[in-house]
Amino acid sequence: MTATPPRPSAPRPSAAGIAPRARAAGPVDADVIRADAFAVALPVGRWSTDPAVVDAHRLDRSGWIPDGRPLGVAFAREVADVQAVLRVAVARGVPVTVRGAGTGLAGGAAAAPGGVVLDLAGMNRIRELSVDDAVAVVEPGVITADLDAAAREAGLCYAPDPASAAISTIGGNIATNAGGLRCAKYGVTRESVLGLDVVLADGELISTGRRTVKGVAGYDLTGLFVGSEGTLGVVVGATVRLRPVPRATVTLAAFFDTVAAAVDAVTALGAAGIVPAVAELLDARTVRAVDAATGSDLADHGEVFLLVQTDGSGAAEEADAAEAVLATRARLVRRSADAATAETLLAARRAALPALERLGRVLIEDIAVPRGRLAQAAARVAEIGAATGVEIFTLAHAADGNLHPIIVVDPAEPEIPRRAWAAAEQIFALALELGGTVTGEHGVGVLKRRWLATELGSRSHDLQRQVRRVFDPTGILNPGRAL
Amino acid sequence: MTATPPRPSAPRPSAAGIAPRARAAGPVDADVIRADAFAVALPVGRWSTDPAVVDAHRLDRSGWIPDGRPLGVAFAREVADVQAVLRVAVARGVPVTVRGAGTGLAGGAAAAPGGVVLDLAGMNRIRELSVDDAVAVVEPGVITADLDAAAREAGLCYAPDPASAAISTIGGNIATNAGGLRCAKYGVTRESVLGLDVVLADGELISTGRRTVKGVAGYDLTGLFVGSEGTLGVVVGATVRLRPVPRATVTLAAFFDTVAAAVDAVTALGAAGIVPAVAELLDARTVRAVDAATGSDLADHGEVFLLVQTDGSGAAEEADAAEAVLATRARLVRRSADAATAETLLAARRAALPALERLGRVLIEDIAVPRGRLAQAAARVAEIGAATGVEIFTLAHAADGNLHPIIVVDPAEPEIPRRAWAAAEQIFALALELGGTVTGEHGVGVLKRRWLATELGSRSHDLQRQVRRVFDPTGILNPGRAL
C-alpha cells in the first residue's frame, strides 16, 4: 500500500533534550525535539516529517479537517516499530492516531494536531492461513479483499464485506467493527475476529481471545478492542475466522413503487424463513441518479430497487421461495440465471455511490434502527431533506435496519453548508427517537461524538471513559475521538 | 421456577445498628444485623434466612461446595428488588452471588460465605416479542427453552441451545456466554444478545447495546457483560435477537471406527462448503455406555457416533452432500426420513449424559481447541484417563472444537478422589498446550480460576481485574469467582 518514504531531511538536533535550561525551547523547537525522538526510535526509513508525506496521511474520508498538523508519520513494518512509537509517545505525551488505509468515514483516523500518525499499511502480511482450523492470522494492514481472495484460493472465505473491502484494511475494519452487505447472515467484523495481538499504550504486547471458535475464559477483551477506534491499544495482529465458500449464490433484483413496499417485502422474506445473504435497497432518488449516471432505465421498472442474494447449499430453493414472496409485492422481479446476469443485477447497487459522487460532495450517514422501523426511518429522512432543502439519497442494508442517508452538496458550494450539517443532526436525532443508533457500522470518530452520551446515557458513557483510562492512563491514544 | 419462600422466622433485632458501642457485636450478631438490613429493604416474602431455603440456593451443579453459608437468599421479582439488594450489599460490604436456575458447571453460582444469594428465577417474564423487529425483550429468569418456544409460536426462534436449555435461564446463559449444539452455524449466546439492562454494583440501572442488529457507538459493553459471570453487574433484562425458524431440518447419524475418522469427516464437510447446524460426536466409551444404559446396539455399527444436522432452505440438498462426504469415511450413515426417525437418531446423543450419570458422579470438563486439533485432543484425553486410572468419556461439539471430557467417579468413593482432580488438571494443561482454552462454554467459576492467568497472560489478566474494579470498586459482586 505505502511506499517507504525517504528519511526525513529536517535538521535534527544532535543532542535533543540537553539544551541549556536558561533558554526554554519554544513551541517549534519542542516539536522538533519530539519528532526527533521518534526518528531515533525507529529504523531508518520508517519516520517522516516531510510536509507532503504528512499531508497525505493526516485525513480520512470523512471530509473532516482537524485544526493543525501532526508532527510526523511513523511507517510501522513490524510489531517492534509500534512498540517503539508508543513508548516514545507515552514518555513525551504525544497523541497517536493509528491509520490503515484512511478510508474511515467518521474522522476517527483524522490526525490530532501535534501528534503522530502511526501508519500500519506496511504491516500487510497474511501470516498464516489454516484450512484445518478455518482461521487466518493477519497483520492489520492487509486489505480486506486480499484476505478474502487468499482464503478463497483455499476454498474458504472471509465473510465481512464492507463496501470499502477493496481498499480498506482489516485493522481499520476491526477498529470500527465494520459491517457490510452480508452482515444479516454472517455478522459484522466482530463475529469473525477470534483473537487479537495488541500493543498497549505503554508499548507492552498482549494477546486476547484465542484460535478456537468458542472460549469463555475471562472477559471478552477481543470484543472490547473491536470497534474501539484506536482508543484502547494498537491492533498488530488478528486471528480471524474463515468460513466455507457458499456452494451457490443466486441474485434477485426487485422493483417497487415505494420504500415501504420494499421494506415490507424484506420483512416477508424473514417471516417465510428466508435468510438472505444480501438485501440492499436503493430509494427512488438514488435509482434516478443511477439511471442518469449510467444510462440505465431502472426507474421504468419501479422507483425503488431491492437487490437480494441467497447463498449456500439451498441458494436455488431459497431463491425460489424469495422470488415467490417478492413477486406478490414488487412490480418486477428479475433473477440471475448465471454469473453474467448476476453481475448485471449487481451493477445498479455498485453504481449508486459513484453516481452520487458525480452530483457533488457526499456526506455518508450511517444510522441503524430496529428492523420494523426501517420504512418509517426512510420516510422521515426524505422529510428532513425536504425541510432543510438538502439533497438526501438513501441506500440501506435492509435486513439489518442500517440506512445510509447520503447528503449530496452542490460542488459549487465553497464548503459544506450549514443546512447539510443541520440535516445530519436531524438524522441522528431521528435514529435515537426510533430506538436506533447514530452509527451502525462506520464508527463515532469525531463527527458523532456529540451524540454519544445521549445515545449511551451518562453513566454508561462515564463507565466507558473509565475503561478507556484503564487501557490508556495518559490519554495518548486517539484523543478527542470516539468517546 | 421458585415458589416465594416464607418470611424469615429468625429473630430480628428491633433497632439494628444502635447496639451500645461498649459491646462489640460478635460474628453471629453482625450477620443477624446484616441479614436484617436486606429483610427491611425488600418487600415482604422476598428474603429468607431459613436454613433449608438457604441450602437449596447455595450450590450450582459443579459439585463444588464452598466453605461456610450465605446469610440469606433474596428472591427478586422486579428491578427495584435487585437495586435494593445491591445498595444494602455495598453499604454493608456483603458479597452478592447472582443465581438463575443454578445449573452452572463451574462454581460461578456457588454462594460466597457470609454473602447474599440474589435469586432472579422469579423475574421470568417475556416482556415483548416483536416479529417486525425480530427481537424479544426478556427478564433474566426466563427459561431458555421457554423463550424459544414462545418465539416459535411467532414463526421465529432463539438460536442458542445449551444442553441445559430446558432448565437453565437466559440470565445464566448470558452470565456464562453459554454455547450449545447449534453454535457452529448460529454462534454462541453473545451473538444473539443485542442489548442489556444491568444494575451496577451501586444499584444504578444502565442499558447497554440496542435493539438494532448493528451498532458501533461506544465500546461493546454488552459483550463485556456477556460471560462476565456475575462480576460486573446484575443483568435484569435482555434484548435478544430472534431468527426465522429454519424451513427444514435433516438429521444424519454416522458411525466410525475411530474419533480421528469422525473428526476427519467433519473437516471434510467444511471443505465441501457444508455448514452443519449440529455436529455432535460421542467417543467409543460413551457409545458403549449408551448401549449399556438403553439396550441399544450402536457399537455394532461403529464405535464412534457422529450426529449431523443440516437446516434451512437447503437442508435436504446439504444433507445429500453431507451424506456423500460421510459415506466415504463412515462405516454406516443413517438419514432421517421424517421427524420420528430424526428423533431415534437424536436419542443416542440425548442418552449420553444420563447414561454416564448412571455410572457414577460426573465431572464435566469443557475445553476447546483449534478445530484441526480436535482428534489429537480427544486421543490425549484418553491417554490422560489411562495414565491417571480415571474413567473419562468424551462428547464433542465437533464443528466448534469444543470437547466435554466427562470424568466419572465411582459412586462408592466417599468424595471426588485426588486422581480425578489430577486428570482434570492435565486436561486443562492439554487445552493450553494445543492452543485452546480451559473453558469453551461453561465459564471459569471457581474450578478453572487457577488456570486463568496462565491462559490470559499476566498483563491481560491484570487489565481485566482493573476493568472489574471500574464496575465494582468495593468488590461485592461474586468475589472469588471468574477472575
Side-chain angles (χ1 to χ4, degrees):
Chain A
M1 266 307 277
T2 306
T4 306
R7 185 75 171 166
S9 56
R12 289 171 47 192
S14 58
I18 56 166
R21 282 194 163 223
R23 184 183 156 258
V28 174
D29 304 76
D31 277 0
V32 171
I33 291 169
R34 284 196 196 97
D36 185 65
F38 291 99
V40 168
L42 287 165
V44 172
R46 299 187 189 174
W47 172 255
S48 177
T49 55
D50 180 324
V53 171
V54 169
D55 275 349
H57 292 83
R58 61 182 282 257
L59 303 181
D60 63 14
R61 293 200 169 201
S62 62
W64 189 75
I65 301 174
D67 292 332
R69 286 192 153 63
L71 291 178
V73 184
F75 296 92
R77 295 268 162 191
E78 52 205 301
V79 172
D81 296 342
V82 174
Q83 294 179 296
V85 166
L86 290 174
R87 284 181 187 129
V88 174
V90 161
R92 307 284 171 129
V94 175
V96 176
T97 302
V98 180
R99 181 185 187 80
T103 59
L105 292 167
V116 167
V117 175
L118 175 52
D119 185 316
L120 303 183
M123 293 180 69
N124 59 0
R125 284 159 289 203
I126 297 175
R127 291 182 181 232
E128 187 193 349
L129 203 155
S130 166
V131 173
D132 285 350
D133 292 344
V135 301
V137 182
V138 298
E139 292 182 342
V142 170
I143 298 294
T144 308
D146 292 349
L147 168 60
D148 185 48
R152 282 174 193 267
E153 281 179 27
L156 296 167
C157 68
Y158 177 69
D161 62 337
S164 61
I167 53 170
S168 65
T169 65
I170 287 287
N173 294 175
I174 290 170
T176 55
N177 192 14
L181 276 58
R182 291 191 294 240
C183 300
K185 184 162 180 179
Y186 296 105
V188 294
T189 297
R190 169 71 196 95
E191 270 85 71
S192 285
V193 176
L194 301 176
L196 295 173
D197 298 323
V198 178
V199 176
L200 298 172
D202 61 12
E204 189 172 347
L205 177 68
I206 66 165
S207 292
T208 72
R210 43 195 68 84
R211 195 184 165 96
T212 58
V213 180
K214 284 154 92 176
V216 293
Y219 300 142
D220 184 7
L221 290 193
T222 305
L224 196 62
F225 281 111
V226 174
S228 64
E229 303 189 43
T231 64
L232 297 179
V234 180
V235 171
V236 293
T239 301
V240 298
R241 176 180 187 167
L242 304 177
R243 295 169 197 265
V245 175
R247 290 162 64 86
T249 301
V250 179
T251 304
L252 302 168
F255 298 85
F256 298 84
D257 288 332
T258 63
V259 167
V263 168
D264 175 59
V266 173
T267 304
L269 292 177
I274 296 161
V275 184
V278 167
E280 294 291 302
L281 186 154
L282 310 188
D283 76 351
R285 299 171 70 85
T286 309
V287 167
R288 287 195 296 270
V290 169
D291 280 348
T294 68
S296 58
D297 57 356
L298 299 172
D300 295 349
H301 305 310
E303 295 231 299
V304 173
F305 177 83
L306 178 70
L307 182 84
V308 171
Q309 285 191 330
T310 60
D311 72 6
S313 299
E317 187 184 322
E318 199 157 24
D320 291 345
E323 201 172 350
V325 168
L326 295 173
T328 63
R329 288 164 176 86
R331 278 187 38 190
L332 176 73
V333 183
R334 285 186 170 169
R335 178 171 176 156
S336 65
D338 50 47
T341 326
E343 194 49 44
T344 311
L345 300 178
L346 278 163
R349 171 64 182 86
R350 289 240 177 80
L353 195 55
L356 300 180
E357 284 170 337
R358 284 178 72 222
L359 301 179
R361 187 163 163 195
V362 302
L363 289 182
I364 306 179
E365 298 310 334
D366 170 44
I367 63 172
V369 295
R371 292 198 279 203
R373 296 194 153 186
L374 180 59
Q376 188 183 357
R380 292 278 298 278
V381 166
E383 286 169 27
I384 290 169
T388 55
V390 170
E391 298 271 357
I392 309 180
F393 302 77
T394 295
L395 315 182
H397 307 305
D400 294 328
N402 188 190
L403 289 84
H404 295 306
I406 300 179
I407 297 172
V408 179
V409 175
D410 185 336
E413 300 262 8
E415 58 185 20
I416 294 179
R418 194 179 291 262
R419 67 179 184 282
W421 292 121
E425 297 284 301
Q426 289 181 36
I427 290 169
F428 297 150
L430 169 68
L432 299 186
E433 180 195 329
L434 296 180
T437 174
V438 298
T439 176
E441 57 182 8
H442 293 170
V444 173
V446 176
L447 299 183
K448 294 151 208 163
R449 220 173 154 228
R450 216 163 70 75
W451 288 87
L452 194 62
T454 309
E455 178 168 336
L456 300 180
S458 64
R459 182 69 188 273
S460 182
H461 191 224
D462 181 58
L463 283 169
Q464 301 202 18
R465 284 187 292 197
Q466 287 186 62
V467 168
R468 182 172 183 169
R469 280 197 290 276
V470 165
F471 287 85
D472 180 23
T474 65
I476 60 160
L477 294 174
N478 226 2
R481 306 296 183 276
L483 284 184
Chain B
M1 265 310 273
T2 305
T4 306
R7 187 76 172 166
S9 55
R12 288 171 49 192
S14 59
I18 55 164
R21 282 193 160 221
R23 186 185 155 256
V28 173
D29 302 76
D31 277 0
V32 171
I33 292 169
R34 284 195 196 97
D36 185 66
F38 291 100
V40 167
L42 286 165
V44 171
R46 299 187 188 174
W47 171 255
S48 177
T49 55
D50 180 325
V53 172
V54 170
D55 275 351
H57 292 82
R58 62 183 282 256
L59 304 180
D60 62 14
R61 293 200 169 201
S62 63
W64 188 75
I65 301 174
D67 293 332
R69 284 190 155 63
L71 291 179
V73 184
F75 296 92
R77 295 268 161 189
E78 50 203 303
V79 172
D81 297 341
V82 174
Q83 294 179 297
V85 167
L86 290 174
R87 284 181 187 130
V88 174
V90 160
R92 307 282 169 133
V94 175
V96 177
T97 302
V98 181
R99 179 183 189 83
T103 59
L105 292 166
V116 168
V117 175
L118 175 51
D119 186 314
L120 303 183
M123 292 180 70
N124 59 359
R125 286 159 288 202
I126 297 175
R127 291 183 181 233
E128 187 193 349
L129 205 154
S130 165
V131 172
D132 284 350
D133 293 345
V135 301
V137 181
V138 298
E139 291 183 342
V142 170
I143 299 293
T144 308
D146 291 349
L147 169 60
D148 186 47
R152 281 175 193 267
E153 281 179 25
L156 296 167
C157 67
Y158 177 68
D161 62 336
S164 61
I167 53 171
S168 64
T169 64
I170 287 287
N173 294 175
I174 290 170
T176 56
N177 191 12
L181 275 58
R182 292 191 293 241
C183 300
K185 185 163 181 179
Y186 296 104
V188 294
T189 298
R190 169 72 194 94
E191 268 86 71
S192 285
V193 177
L194 300 175
L196 295 173
D197 297 322
V198 179
V199 176
L200 298 173
D202 61 11
E204 189 172 348
L205 177 68
I206 65 165
S207 293
T208 72
R210 42 195 70 83
R211 196 184 165 97
T212 59
V213 180
K214 285 154 90 177
V216 294
Y219 300 144
D220 183 8
L221 290 194
T222 305
L224 196 62
F225 281 111
V226 174
S228 63
E229 301 189 45
T231 64
L232 297 179
V234 180
V235 171
V236 293
T239 301
V240 299
R241 177 180 186 168
L242 304 176
R243 295 170 197 264
V245 175
R247 290 164 64 87
T249 301
V250 179
T251 305
L252 302 169
F255 296 86
F256 298 84
D257 289 332
T258 63
V259 167
V263 168
D264 176 59
V266 173
T267 305
L269 292 177
I274 296 160
V275 183
V278 167
E280 293 291 301
L281 187 153
L282 309 188
D283 76 352
R285 297 170 70 86
T286 309
V287 168
R288 287 195 296 271
V290 170
D291 280 347
T294 68
S296 59
D297 57 356
L298 300 172
D300 294 348
H301 305 309
E303 297 230 298
V304 173
F305 176 83
L306 179 71
L307 181 83
V308 170
Q309 285 190 330
T310 60
D311 72 7
S313 298
E317 187 182 322
E318 198 156 23
D320 293 344
E323 201 172 351
V325 168
L326 295 173
T328 62
R329 289 166 175 86
R331 278 186 39 190
L332 176 71
V333 183
R334 286 186 170 171
R335 176 171 176 155
S336 65
D338 50 47
T341 327
E343 196 48 45
T344 311
L345 300 179
L346 278 163
R349 171 65 182 84
R350 289 242 177 79
L353 195 55
L356 300 181
E357 284 171 337
R358 285 179 71 223
L359 301 179
R361 186 162 165 195
V362 301
L363 289 182
I364 306 179
E365 299 308 335
D366 170 44
I367 63 172
V369 295
R371 291 198 279 203
R373 296 193 155 186
L374 179 59
Q376 188 184 357
R380 292 278 297 280
V381 166
E383 287 169 27
I384 289 169
T388 54
V390 170
E391 299 271 358
I392 309 180
F393 301 77
T394 296
L395 315 182
H397 306 305
D400 294 329
N402 187 190
L403 290 84
H404 295 307
I406 299 179
I407 297 172
V408 178
V409 175
D410 186 336
E413 300 263 8
E415 58 185 21
I416 294 180
R418 195 179 291 261
R419 66 179 185 284
W421 292 120
E425 297 283 300
Q426 289 180 37
I427 290 169
F428 296 150
L430 169 68
L432 298 187
E433 181 196 327
L434 296 181
T437 175
V438 299
T439 177
E441 57 183 9
H442 292 170
V444 172
V446 176
L447 299 183
K448 294 150 208 163
R449 219 171 156 233
R450 217 163 69 73
W451 288 87
L452 193 63
T454 309
E455 178 169 336
L456 299 180
S458 63
R459 182 69 189 273
S460 181
H461 191 225
D462 181 58
L463 283 169
Q464 301 202 19
R465 284 188 294 197
Q466 287 186 63
V467 168
R468 182 172 183 168
R469 279 196 291 276
V470 165
F471 287 83
D472 180 23
T474 65
I476 60 160
L477 294 175
N478 225 1
R481 306 295 183 276
L483 284 184

